[in-house]
Amino acid sequence: MADSDLQGLRAQIDEINLQILDLLNRRARLASEIGKIQQKMGTSFYDPEREAQMLNDLQQANNGPFSNETIKALFREIFRASMALEEKEARQKLRVQRQRSDERTVITMPDGTQIGNSDFTIISGPCAVESIEQIDEVAAALHERGVRFLRGMGWKPRTSPYDFQGLGLEGLRIARQVANKYGMFVVSEIMDMSLVTQMTDYVDIFWVGARNMSNSFLLKAMGQVRQPVILKRSYGATIQDLIYAAEYIVASGNPNVILIERGIRTFEGWTRNTLDISAIALLKQETHLPVIGDISHSAGRRDIAIPLAKAVKAVGADGLMFECHPNPPVAMSDAKQQLSIPEMHALLDEITDTQKVLA
Amino acid sequence: MADSDLQGLRAQIDEINLQILDLLNRRARLASEIGKIQQKMGTSFYDPEREAQMLNDLQQANNGPFSNETIKALFREIFRASMALEEKEARQKLRVQRQRSDERTVITMPDGTQIGNSDFTIISGPCAVESIEQIDEVAAALHERGVRFLRGMGWKPRTSPYDFQGLGLEGLRIARQVANKYGMFVVSEIMDMSLVTQMTDYVDIFWVGARNMSNSFLLKAMGQVRQPVILKRSYGATIQDLIYAAEYIVASGNPNVILIERGIRTFEGWTRNTLDISAIALLKQETHLPVIGDISHSAGRRDIAIPLAKAVKAVGADGLMFECHPNPPVAMSDAKQQLSIPEMHALLDEITDTQKVLA
Amino acid sequence: MADSDLQGLRAQIDEINLQILDLLNRRARLASEIGKIQQKMGTSFYDPEREAQMLNDLQQANNGPFSNETIKALFREIFRASMALEEKEARQKLRVQRQRSDERTVITMPDGTQIGNSDFTIISGPCAVESIEQIDEVAAALHERGVRFLRGMGWKPRTSPYDFQGLGLEGLRIARQVANKYGMFVVSEIMDMSLVTQMTDYVDIFWVGARNMSNSFLLKAMGQVRQPVILKRSYGATIQDLIYAAEYIVASGNPNVILIERGIRTFEGWTRNTLDISAIALLKQETHLPVIGDISHSAGRRDIAIPLAKAVKAVGADGLMFECHPNPPVAMSDAKQQLSIPEMHALLDEITDTQKVLA
Amino acid sequence: MADSDLQGLRAQIDEINLQILDLLNRRARLASEIGKIQQKMGTSFYDPEREAQMLNDLQQANNGPFSNETIKALFREIFRASMALEEKEARQKLRVQRQRSDERTVITMPDGTQIGNSDFTIISGPCAVESIEQIDEVAAALHERGVRFLRGMGWKPRTSPYDFQGLGLEGLRIARQVANKYGMFVVSEIMDMSLVTQMTDYVDIFWVGARNMSNSFLLKAMGQVRQPVILKRSYGATIQDLIYAAEYIVASGNPNVILIERGIRTFEGWTRNTLDISAIALLKQETHLPVIGDISHSAGRRDIAIPLAKAVKAVGADGLMFECHPNPPVAMSDAKQQLSIPEMHALLDEITDTQKVLA
């Protein structure tokens, strides 16, 4: 008997479900009308006073058994769904968000070299430009391996004001000169939007570092440059923070953004940061931008560079960033994590031979 | 004109809101009927196949503008709200959850001493019992200050199997003897449920350590002892995890549970763990159990013990736990964080004089 | 017999200890001489090639039983100690570091109001300036309670480019006007160094937000302004990162820096960030700067504002920052965490009455 | 002239370096003698009172320029190095630590199947045994793909006492029966050492879960069983914690330990935990034990299972663990993360074809 009771009650619920469904969709159509009017009037879709009023009316009318808190929570979900619909209709979905599974931003350099196509891009070079000899030695070795993108950092963000801050514009000039010699592209960090003008003639790809990932003034300025921009996840940023930071650049006019995952701060102390390999998979799935894995700043140690590089490739990244220095122990910054030139060769040997990646 | 259009559309939405409200409450009453039948039949309220079927029906019937995903998300919220209502009606709310703002569990020891009333309880003693001389010296000094609860740890959980693991039952016997001499209570960690029988005659309060906070077998065993139980938050546990762990004990029959906040693992390295002072405020707000702050294991350093003790008192904790050793530098464990006896006096001077707490 | 053997061996070790001590100090004096020469020559104390050479020599000379790795590790410690000594002698210790326990930076505003003396400073106001009515209502209420420092945020850093970004300079003008009416000081966030000139006439204290804490260009620019600067810890920054960020400002010429602890990102989800109460104690101990606790951005929820405010006061902070809005549910940002005006009154009642703080 | 001065000072330092080197090694030999005596006497190498005395003597004798703090810090390093040497000589290095790069523990099952050799081991099955039909359907599908290791969980550790806790011994019996049918091995979680006896006849590999990773009583009990043991990293444990936990088992007599990396708790919320891919590389490098990556509990979501599986394989893990359920949406636990059978096929297709892993 209980079973037939159950059947009856469930049938009634099914009926109510369909009535609620109908009302929800009718409600959505009305909200959409309102949205169009608001858009014309230039007001925001989000009207908290109106929401407060509606919630108050519902509370007055509620006789239970649902508590006022539950009713308010359910209607807040309904309001949010309506607003999401309005925003979608207004085409305010994030520009960086992937709409179809095959959508991808492919960045094409002046000579036709691409990032984000099926190739696996390598970006390398020393942590900072220290001298022409230093950068030349690294660039020559990278060039020999077909690497096209050279880290040429003039300004270095440092935790302490007393640490080496980079050679500045002079470093950038050196990087440009060496890159030209080997037909490479200069990738260089911009630390303040006031530097755009002086850097623009030396740089092929701007790099926004972790410490500036949430600097919206700089991000907007990067929306105005003609070069592609590499945007590095801050060690304190969520994946969502990074996506919004990219949106600042793209919404400001520059569609050519490359994301870098470089590890987040966690309680684990054997690595400097924890490389968030899942973030690479999620960024590839949720955005159409190229995604690169940085195995130097994440691990902060050289000895696991090769397995991490393999993982970055296998998880589906579009490329790899690692630091390379002719003499890591005497590097002026990040000595522990930069690969020597022989180590760089060993790493590239391993990841370019598919058989070895999975050995 | 747009404005009068807006008015009209909004009136229609208000009407629909009320219709949805009515249907939601009717739906809830039906679900509640079903819940009663299920309870009699002994089946769970959560019926995922039925939910899958309802969602499928709604998807079939949906003509938009809401997408199927939105509709499913909204109905999942409705299902969840219904189930919450059923569970509430079945009085399955957590037993440890505070229902009224003045509800509090006050634990009364055999001699009438209380924890969780308006007094501020101090629990102290060395990290582990090392010898009778050591524990006697500390106990004498604490007794002099009116401290009633003595850490008397026989077994010590250690990261490495080669570290000092405690004197075991012998340590507990020593602690009991010394506590009796000074009229104190022995608070002692239980590391496995197999130890209940041999510990029970020596212990006034059982202590479940961070490493065992999620050991449900031990938690259930603690539901069966006659003594109160101190439950320490794991450095990897959320506040919610801790509340559920307490629920295991209370649901197993022992209402006398005391919670300890002791810091969580974060990226900050200047302290061993990050004392989560907000957790104390939230645990007091969300549960009716006494909450104690442990300033030794959180900070892992002696030098900020006094300001942290003041903060723990001011945030509303029911008490304080800190380690105290006659000669911290030669302690067999946790040497860096145990207070010396003069440091203990200084700390108690500061926190018992209200004027000084806020100086 | 074993015991007398032990005695003899230990005496020999004691002798060797003293010889090592003597050599270490002789070595330090020589290194100090070298340091003076380097300083004259303008070269860095840190000479990695020289170090590499010395380590190599030691390795060649080492016959064990210590392994080369151990010898290198020990000498690296010795090198580091020597360099620390040189740096100290060169008076390059951090300027923000506390040298004596009674050293403190007290910031004096034009009318004599101080921050960092024995008073407990309150900074409050809405998350962002939304309108003159909004800020006037809050300022009037704060003024009534003797609060002197008004949040007057024109620019708001936001995660999403589509969120409300503040009224900009117009917001700042409004804040100035209202602050003048009530004799209050305007505390306002600067988001880029290009804004210094236009902001400087409206602002009494510059505020560097969490997202810009590591923006060294902005920090250096803050070293050049005449106003005091509030520096907020990033949710992803260590205490040490914050100290170095303050050093950038002080070393650039502005000694009047105020630090704000506002919570760090952790796995705990019941609060938006985890208020790091120990950081306040450590910043007070390690620096001579005023330290303020922000209970709004840390918790991200209103309901535990009062206990957190008490904890911040008790731990020894120089002041408190909390957001206050005439109508929090309709605030354009941070709606969940801003206090209403009655809530602000309740909070100030609690923390100004010493008896209540510890009740 | 400054340059020749420099030369002279450096030569003197070089000379002193060698003298210090000689004294350090002489000191180490004496300490080693003492260590042997202590070993015979059964006392610990670590003698904090003796150290305190030596530090005191050095402090008395110190005339600078090094401060007493620096001298004490340097000598503490020297003491630590000496003690490390003694411990090494006493062969107390961790048993799980890799001594040579080719050292590896290969675990051989009764029929010759191996874990930790060059094969890539797959462990799969539902989160918990729910019924014979459920586990049979999954096992049949896995068997078809050559998977040999079946998750057959009888007891399930759950955060809430009101969540499904597993079928217990009955679940284990079902798992055994199904595993026998398909010639598979049962991998099953043990939640308390009291269960060893009743589980031992049904289980081929014991599994110690994250919540019990630091339960030393259970770890020691696992040292006594004849079966291999899978040890899962806790979401709150460091890599070092995990290594010591494994050492508890191996030191207690069972060399056949398999480690599982399953993600740690961080501030990132798009995944349930952050898969620590670097930990796999480090565990392979630092220990000789097989290491397996769990992509279900780390991500807590199905949609990135394939890229994560590829990354786990490429980083050098010995195998993969993922949950598989005939009907994930109705699973009694972990519904969001279990793969359906078609999803399992797709995943295995991708990772067994080397070409696809790197596609």
Side-chain angles (χ1 to χ4, degrees):
Chain A
M1 201 176 91
D3 216 50
S4 73
D5 284 1
L6 262 184
Q7 299 291 347
L9 291 164
R10 282 179 172 163
Q12 291 181 55
I13 281 189
D14 286 343
E15 179 53 33
I16 289 180
N17 282 348
L18 295 177
Q19 293 176 28
I20 294 175
L21 171 68
D22 179 54
L23 289 167
L24 286 174
N25 277 323
R26 280 168 55 196
R27 196 188 180 291
R29 278 188 292 271
L30 291 164
S32 163
E33 294 288 310
I34 292 177
K36 279 171 204 154
I37 296 175
Q38 284 173 325
Q39 215 180 350
K40 267 187 229 156
M41 295 164 64
T43 56
S44 160
F45 294 125
Y46 177 48
D47 183 347
E49 296 204 51
R50 162 85 177 140
E51 287 201 359
Q53 188 54 50
M54 287 191 290
L55 291 177
N56 193 49
D57 291 350
L58 286 160
Q59 211 165 323
Q60 298 299 324
N62 183 34
N63 294 313
F66 274 135
S67 69
N68 284 340
E69 280 59 44
T70 302
I71 287 300
K72 285 195 287 184
L74 287 172
F75 272 88
R76 262 194 227 103
E77 290 298 319
I78 294 170
F79 297 165
R80 205 172 305 160
S82 281
M83 200 162 66
L85 195 66
E86 295 170 55
E87 286 179 353
K88 193 187 160 193
E89 288 177 339
R91 302 189 181 284
Q92 286 216 339
K93 260 197 144 171
L94 293 188
R95 286 169 175 84
V96 299
Q97 203 167 348
R98 187 190 284 263
Q99 310 291 340
R100 303 178 320 275
S101 69
D102 63 338
E103 188 184 1
R104 48 164 62 195
T105 292
V106 175
I107 291 167
T108 305
M109 304 301 294
D111 73 344
T113 304
Q114 293 186 323
I115 300 176
N117 64 357
S118 57
D119 291 345
F120 190 67
T121 301
I122 306 290
I123 303 173
S124 190
C127 177
V129 177
E130 298 172 12
S131 71
I132 190 156
E133 293 76 18
Q134 172 233 30
I135 191 101
D136 189 281
E137 187 173 348
V138 172
L142 292 169
H143 170 67
E144 189 190 320
R145 297 300 298 245
V147 175
R148 303 295 311 281
F149 298 91
L150 180 68
R151 271 180 78 98
M153 303 310 200
W155 288 268
K156 277 302 303 170
R158 300 305 298 271
T159 302
S160 163
Y162 307 121
D163 284 342
F164 175 63
Q165 309 269 325
L167 300 180
L169 190 58
E170 180 54 23
L172 199 49
R173 279 200 195 102
I174 291 174
R176 179 74 273 160
Q177 183 182 333
V178 170
N180 287 349
K181 178 172 168 189
Y182 297 106
M184 296 175 83
F185 301 109
V186 172
V187 180
S188 195
E189 177 157 2
I190 179 160
M191 284 179 59
D192 190 80
M193 67 173 193
S194 64
L195 298 173
V196 170
T197 314
Q198 54 179 311
M199 288 182 72
T200 199
D201 289 341
Y202 299 98
V203 168
D204 298 302
I205 299 185
F206 279 102
W207 172 291
V208 175
R211 286 174 180 78
N212 270 315
M213 192 205 88
S214 301
N215 180 342
S216 58
F217 278 65
L218 180 59
L219 296 174
K220 287 174 189 167
M222 288 296 99
Q224 305 293 318
V225 300
R226 60 176 164 76
Q227 293 97 329
V229 177
I230 285 179
L231 178 64
K232 197 168 161 187
R233 181 183 187 184
S234 163
Y235 38 72
T238 62
I239 299 170
Q240 185 166 295
D241 290 343
L242 177 61
I243 289 177
Y244 276 118
E247 184 75 8
Y248 266 101
I249 302 175
V250 175
S252 304
N254 188 346
N256 293 318
V257 176
I258 299 152
L259 303 175
I260 293 204
E261 155 60 30
R262 53 63 52 90
I264 54 174
R265 282 187 167 168
T266 71
F267 63 75
E268 175 55 52
W270 280 21
T271 46
R272 194 166 71 164
N273 296 122
T274 297
L275 179 67
D276 186 0
I277 198 87
S278 317
I280 297 178
L282 287 165
L283 289 167
K284 288 299 297 176
Q285 177 176 293
E286 299 299 321
T287 83
H288 47 73
L289 302 174
V291 181
I292 281 178
D294 170 351
I295 56 169
S296 293
H297 294 87
S298 49
R301 50 191 291 173
R302 257 194 300 281
D303 56 355
I304 53 171
I306 289 175
L308 291 185
K310 290 178 176 181
V312 163
K313 188 166 188 184
V315 85
D318 297 287
L320 186 69
M321 205 302 295
F322 61 89
E323 293 182 346
C324 181
H325 191 283
N327 191 1
V330 304
M332 296 173 87
S333 53
D334 284 351
K336 281 185 194 166
Q337 77 199 30
Q338 303 196 54
L339 298 191
S340 67
I341 289 171
E343 287 167 338
M344 174 273 289
H345 283 298
L347 184 145
L348 292 182
D349 285 349
E350 291 279 337
I351 64 160
T352 45
D353 179 343
T354 303
Q355 298 309 321
K356 283 193 178 165
V357 178
L358 301 176
Chain B
M1 200 176 91
D3 216 51
S4 73
D5 285 1
L6 261 184
Q7 300 290 348
L9 290 164
R10 281 180 171 163
Q12 291 181 55
I13 280 188
D14 288 342
E15 179 54 33
I16 289 181
N17 283 347
L18 295 177
Q19 293 176 29
I20 294 176
L21 172 67
D22 180 54
L23 288 167
L24 286 175
N25 277 323
R26 280 169 54 198
R27 197 189 179 291
R29 279 189 291 271
L30 291 164
S32 163
E33 295 287 310
I34 292 179
K36 280 172 203 152
I37 296 175
Q38 285 173 325
Q39 216 178 349
K40 267 186 228 156
M41 295 164 62
T43 57
S44 160
F45 295 125
Y46 177 48
D47 182 348
E49 296 204 51
R50 163 84 177 141
E51 288 201 359
Q53 187 53 49
M54 288 192 289
L55 292 176
N56 193 48
D57 291 350
L58 286 160
Q59 210 165 324
Q60 298 299 326
N62 183 35
N63 293 314
F66 275 134
S67 68
N68 284 340
E69 278 60 44
T70 302
I71 287 299
K72 284 194 287 183
L74 287 172
F75 272 90
R76 263 195 226 102
E77 290 296 321
I78 294 170
F79 298 165
R80 205 172 304 160
S82 281
M83 199 163 65
L85 196 66
E86 295 170 54
E87 287 179 351
K88 192 185 159 193
E89 289 176 337
R91 303 188 181 284
Q92 286 216 337
K93 260 199 144 167
L94 292 189
R95 286 170 175 85
V96 299
Q97 204 168 348
R98 187 190 283 263
Q99 309 291 341
R100 304 178 320 275
S101 68
D102 61 339
E103 188 184 1
R104 49 164 61 194
T105 292
V106 176
I107 291 168
T108 305
M109 304 301 294
D111 73 343
T113 304
Q114 292 186 323
I115 300 177
N117 65 358
S118 57
D119 292 344
F120 190 67
T121 301
I122 306 291
I123 302 173
S124 190
C127 178
V129 177
E130 298 172 11
S131 69
I132 190 157
E133 293 75 19
Q134 171 234 30
I135 191 102
D136 188 280
E137 187 174 349
V138 173
L142 292 169
H143 171 65
E144 188 190 321
R145 297 300 299 247
V147 175
R148 303 296 311 281
F149 297 92
L150 180 68
R151 271 179 77 99
M153 303 308 200
W155 288 267
K156 278 301 304 169
R158 301 305 297 273
T159 301
S160 163
Y162 306 121
D163 285 341
F164 174 62
Q165 310 268 325
L167 300 180
L169 191 58
E170 180 54 22
L172 200 49
R173 279 201 195 105
I174 292 173
R176 180 73 273 163
Q177 182 183 336
V178 169
N180 286 350
K181 176 173 168 188
Y182 297 107
M184 296 176 83
F185 301 109
V186 172
V187 179
S188 195
E189 177 157 2
I190 179 161
M191 285 179 59
D192 190 80
M193 66 172 192
S194 64
L195 298 173
V196 170
T197 313
Q198 54 178 311
M199 288 181 72
T200 201
D201 289 341
Y202 298 99
V203 169
D204 297 303
I205 300 185
F206 279 102
W207 172 290
V208 175
R211 287 174 179 79
N212 268 315
M213 193 204 86
S214 301
N215 179 342
S216 58
F217 279 64
L218 180 59
L219 296 174
K220 287 175 190 167
M222 288 295 100
Q224 305 294 317
V225 299
R226 60 178 164 75
Q227 292 97 328
V229 177
I230 285 178
L231 178 64
K232 198 169 161 186
R233 182 183 186 183
S234 164
Y235 38 72
T238 62
I239 299 170
Q240 185 166 295
D241 291 342
L242 176 61
I243 289 176
Y244 276 118
E247 184 75 7
Y248 266 102
I249 301 176
V250 175
S252 304
N254 188 347
N256 294 318
V257 175
I258 299 152
L259 304 176
I260 293 202
E261 155 59 32
R262 53 64 52 90
I264 54 174
R265 283 188 165 167
T266 72
F267 62 75
E268 175 55 53
W270 281 21
T271 45
R272 194 167 70 165
N273 296 120
T274 297
L275 178 67
D276 186 359
I277 197 89
S278 318
I280 297 179
L282 287 165
L283 289 168
K284 287 298 300 176
Q285 177 176 292
E286 299 299 321
T287 82
H288 48 72
L289 302 175
V291 181
I292 282 178
D294 170 351
I295 57 168
S296 293
H297 294 86
S298 49
R301 50 191 291 172
R302 259 194 299 281
D303 56 355
I304 53 171
I306 289 175
L308 291 186
K310 290 178 176 180
V312 163
K313 188 167 186 183
V315 86
D318 297 287
L320 185 69
M321 204 302 295
F322 62 89
E323 292 181 347
C324 180
H325 190 282
N327 191 1
V330 304
M332 295 173 89
S333 53
D334 284 353
K336 281 185 193 165
Q337 77 198 30
Q338 304 197 54
L339 299 191
S340 67
I341 289 171
E343 287 166 339
M344 174 272 288
H345 283 298
L347 184 144
L348 291 183
D349 285 349
E350 291 280 337
I351 64 161
T352 46
D353 180 343
T354 303
Q355 297 309 322
K356 284 193 178 165
V357 177
L358 300 175
Chain C
M1 201 176 88
D3 216 51
S4 73
D5 284 1
L6 263 184
Q7 298 291 348
L9 291 164
R10 282 179 171 163
Q12 290 182 55
I13 281 189
D14 287 343
E15 180 53 34
I16 290 180
N17 282 348
L18 295 177
Q19 292 177 29
I20 295 176
L21 172 67
D22 179 55
L23 288 167
L24 287 175
N25 276 323
R26 280 168 56 194
R27 198 188 178 292
R29 279 188 291 271
L30 291 165
S32 162
E33 295 286 310
I34 293 178
K36 280 171 203 153
I37 296 175
Q38 285 173 324
Q39 217 179 347
K40 267 186 228 157
M41 294 164 62
T43 56
S44 160
F45 294 125
Y46 177 48
D47 183 347
E49 297 206 48
R50 162 85 178 140
E51 287 200 359
Q53 188 53 50
M54 287 191 290
L55 291 176
N56 193 48
D57 291 350
L58 286 160
Q59 210 165 324
Q60 299 299 325
N62 182 35
N63 293 315
F66 275 134
S67 69
N68 285 341
E69 279 58 45
T70 302
I71 288 299
K72 285 194 286 184
L74 287 172
F75 272 89
R76 262 194 226 104
E77 291 297 320
I78 294 171
F79 298 165
R80 205 173 304 160
S82 281
M83 201 162 67
L85 195 67
E86 295 170 54
E87 287 179 353
K88 192 186 161 194
E89 289 176 337
R91 303 187 178 285
Q92 286 216 336
K93 261 197 143 170
L94 293 188
R95 287 170 175 84
V96 300
Q97 202 168 350
R98 187 190 283 263
Q99 309 291 339
R100 303 179 320 277
S101 68
D102 62 339
E103 188 183 1
R104 46 164 62 194
T105 292
V106 175
I107 291 168
T108 305
M109 303 301 294
D111 73 345
T113 303
Q114 292 187 323
I115 300 176
N117 64 358
S118 56
D119 291 346
F120 190 67
T121 301
I122 306 290
I123 303 172
S124 190
C127 178
V129 178
E130 297 172 12
S131 71
I132 190 158
E133 294 74 19
Q134 171 233 31
I135 190 102
D136 188 282
E137 187 173 348
V138 172
L142 292 170
H143 170 65
E144 188 190 322
R145 296 301 300 246
V147 174
R148 303 295 312 281
F149 298 91
L150 180 67
R151 271 179 77 97
M153 303 309 199
W155 289 266
K156 277 302 304 167
R158 300 306 297 271
T159 301
S160 164
Y162 306 120
D163 285 341
F164 174 62
Q165 310 268 324
L167 300 179
L169 190 58
E170 180 55 22
L172 200 49
R173 279 201 195 104
I174 292 173
R176 178 75 273 161
Q177 183 183 334
V178 169
N180 287 348
K181 177 173 170 188
Y182 297 107
M184 295 175 84
F185 301 109
V186 171
V187 180
S188 194
E189 178 158 0
I190 179 160
M191 284 180 58
D192 190 79
M193 66 173 194
S194 64
L195 299 172
V196 170
T197 312
Q198 56 179 312
M199 289 182 71
T200 199
D201 288 342
Y202 299 98
V203 168
D204 299 302
I205 300 185
F206 279 101
W207 171 291
V208 175
R211 286 174 180 78
N212 269 314
M213 192 205 87
S214 301
N215 179 342
S216 57
F217 279 64
L218 180 59
L219 296 175
K220 287 175 190 167
M222 287 296 99
Q224 305 293 318
V225 300
R226 61 178 162 76
Q227 292 97 329
V229 177
I230 285 178
L231 178 63
K232 198 168 160 187
R233 182 183 186 183
S234 163
Y235 39 70
T238 62
I239 299 170
Q240 185 166 296
D241 290 344
L242 176 61
I243 289 177
Y244 275 118
E247 184 75 8
Y248 266 102
I249 302 175
V250 175
S252 303
N254 188 347
N256 293 319
V257 175
I258 298 153
L259 304 175
I260 293 203
E261 155 59 30
R262 53 63 53 89
I264 55 174
R265 282 187 165 167
T266 72
F267 62 75
E268 175 54 53
W270 280 21
T271 46
R272 194 166 71 164
N273 295 120
T274 297
L275 178 67
D276 186 359
I277 197 88
S278 318
I280 297 179
L282 286 166
L283 289 167
K284 288 297 298 175
Q285 177 176 293
E286 299 299 322
T287 83
H288 48 73
L289 302 175
V291 180
I292 283 178
D294 170 351
I295 57 169
S296 294
H297 295 86
S298 48
R301 50 191 292 172
R302 258 194 300 281
D303 55 356
I304 52 171
I306 289 175
L308 291 185
K310 290 178 177 181
V312 163
K313 188 166 188 185
V315 85
D318 297 287
L320 186 69
M321 205 301 296
F322 61 89
E323 293 182 346
C324 180
H325 191 283
N327 191 0
V330 305
M332 296 173 86
S333 51
D334 285 352
K336 281 186 194 164
Q337 77 199 29
Q338 304 197 54
L339 299 190
S340 68
I341 289 171
E343 287 166 338
M344 175 272 289
H345 283 299
L347 185 145
L348 291 183
D349 285 349
E350 291 280 337
I351 64 160
T352 46
D353 180 343
T354 303
Q355 297 310 322
K356 283 192 178 167
V357 178
L358 299 176
Chain D
M1 202 177 89
D3 216 50
S4 72
D5 284 1
L6 262 184
Q7 299 291 345
L9 290 165
R10 282 180 171 163
Q12 291 182 55
I13 281 188
D14 287 343
E15 179 53 34
I16 288 180
N17 283 347
L18 295 178
Q19 292 176 28
I20 294 175
L21 172 66
D22 178 54
L23 288 167
L24 287 174
N25 276 324
R26 279 169 56 196
R27 196 187 180 292
R29 279 189 291 270
L30 291 165
S32 164
E33 295 286 310
I34 292 178
K36 279 171 205 154
I37 295 174
Q38 285 173 323
Q39 216 177 350
K40 266 186 231 157
M41 293 164 64
T43 57
S44 160
F45 294 126
Y46 177 48
D47 183 348
E49 295 205 49
R50 162 85 178 142
E51 287 200 1
Q53 187 54 48
M54 287 191 290
L55 291 176
N56 193 49
D57 292 350
L58 286 161
Q59 209 165 323
Q60 298 298 326
N62 182 36
N63 293 313
F66 275 134
S67 69
N68 284 340
E69 278 59 44
T70 302
I71 288 300
K72 284 194 286 185
L74 286 172
F75 272 89
R76 262 194 226 102
E77 290 297 320
I78 294 171
F79 298 164
R80 206 173 304 160
S82 281
M83 201 161 66
L85 195 66
E86 295 170 55
E87 287 179 352
K88 193 186 160 195
E89 289 177 338
R91 303 188 181 286
Q92 287 217 337
K93 262 197 144 170
L94 293 187
R95 285 170 175 85
V96 299
Q97 202 167 349
R98 188 190 284 263
Q99 309 291 340
R100 303 178 322 275
S101 68
D102 63 338
E103 188 184 0
R104 47 165 61 194
T105 292
V106 175
I107 290 167
T108 305
M109 304 301 293
D111 74 342
T113 303
Q114 292 187 322
I115 300 177
N117 66 357
S118 56
D119 292 346
F120 190 66
T121 300
I122 307 290
I123 303 173
S124 190
C127 178
V129 177
E130 299 171 10
S131 69
I132 192 156
E133 294 73 20
Q134 170 232 33
I135 191 100
D136 188 281
E137 188 174 348
V138 173
L142 292 169
H143 170 66
E144 188 191 321
R145 297 300 299 244
V147 174
R148 304 294 311 280
F149 297 91
L150 179 68
R151 271 180 76 99
M153 303 309 199
W155 288 267
K156 278 301 303 169
R158 301 304 297 273
T159 301
S160 163
Y162 307 120
D163 284 342
F164 174 62
Q165 309 269 325
L167 301 180
L169 190 58
E170 179 54 23
L172 199 50
R173 277 200 196 104
I174 292 173
R176 179 74 273 161
Q177 182 183 335
V178 170
N180 286 350
K181 176 172 169 189
Y182 297 107
M184 296 176 83
F185 301 109
V186 171
V187 180
S188 195
E189 177 158 1
I190 178 160
M191 284 179 58
D192 189 80
M193 66 172 193
S194 63
L195 299 172
V196 170
T197 311
Q198 54 179 311
M199 289 181 71
T200 200
D201 288 341
Y202 298 99
V203 168
D204 298 303
I205 300 185
F206 279 101
W207 171 291
V208 175
R211 286 174 180 77
N212 270 314
M213 193 205 87
S214 301
N215 179 342
S216 57
F217 279 65
L218 180 59
L219 296 175
K220 287 175 190 168
M222 288 295 100
Q224 305 294 318
V225 301
R226 62 179 162 74
Q227 292 98 327
V229 177
I230 284 179
L231 178 64
K232 198 168 160 186
R233 182 183 185 183
S234 163
Y235 38 70
T238 63
I239 299 171
Q240 185 166 296
D241 290 343
L242 177 61
I243 289 177
Y244 276 118
E247 184 75 7
Y248 266 102
I249 302 175
V250 175
S252 305
N254 188 346
N256 293 318
V257 175
I258 299 152
L259 303 175
I260 292 203
E261 155 59 31
R262 53 63 52 88
I264 55 175
R265 283 187 164 167
T266 71
F267 62 76
E268 175 56 52
W270 280 21
T271 45
R272 194 166 71 165
N273 296 120
T274 297
L275 179 66
D276 186 359
I277 197 89
S278 317
I280 297 178
L282 286 165
L283 289 168
K284 287 298 297 176
Q285 177 176 291
E286 299 299 322
T287 82
H288 48 74
L289 302 175
V291 181
I292 282 178
D294 169 351
I295 57 168
S296 294
H297 294 87
S298 49
R301 50 191 291 171
R302 258 194 300 281
D303 55 356
I304 53 172
I306 288 174
L308 291 186
K310 290 178 176 181
V312 163
K313 187 167 187 183
V315 85
D318 297 286
L320 185 69
M321 205 302 296
F322 61 89
E323 293 182 347
C324 180
H325 190 282
N327 191 1
V330 304
M332 295 173 87
S333 52
D334 285 352
K336 282 185 192 166
Q337 76 198 30
Q338 303 197 54
L339 299 190
S340 68
I341 288 171
E343 286 166 338
M344 175 273 289
H345 283 297
L347 184 146
L348 291 183
D349 285 349
E350 290 280 337
I351 65 160
T352 45
D353 180 343
T354 303
Q355 297 309 322
K356 284 193 178 164
V357 178
L358 300 175

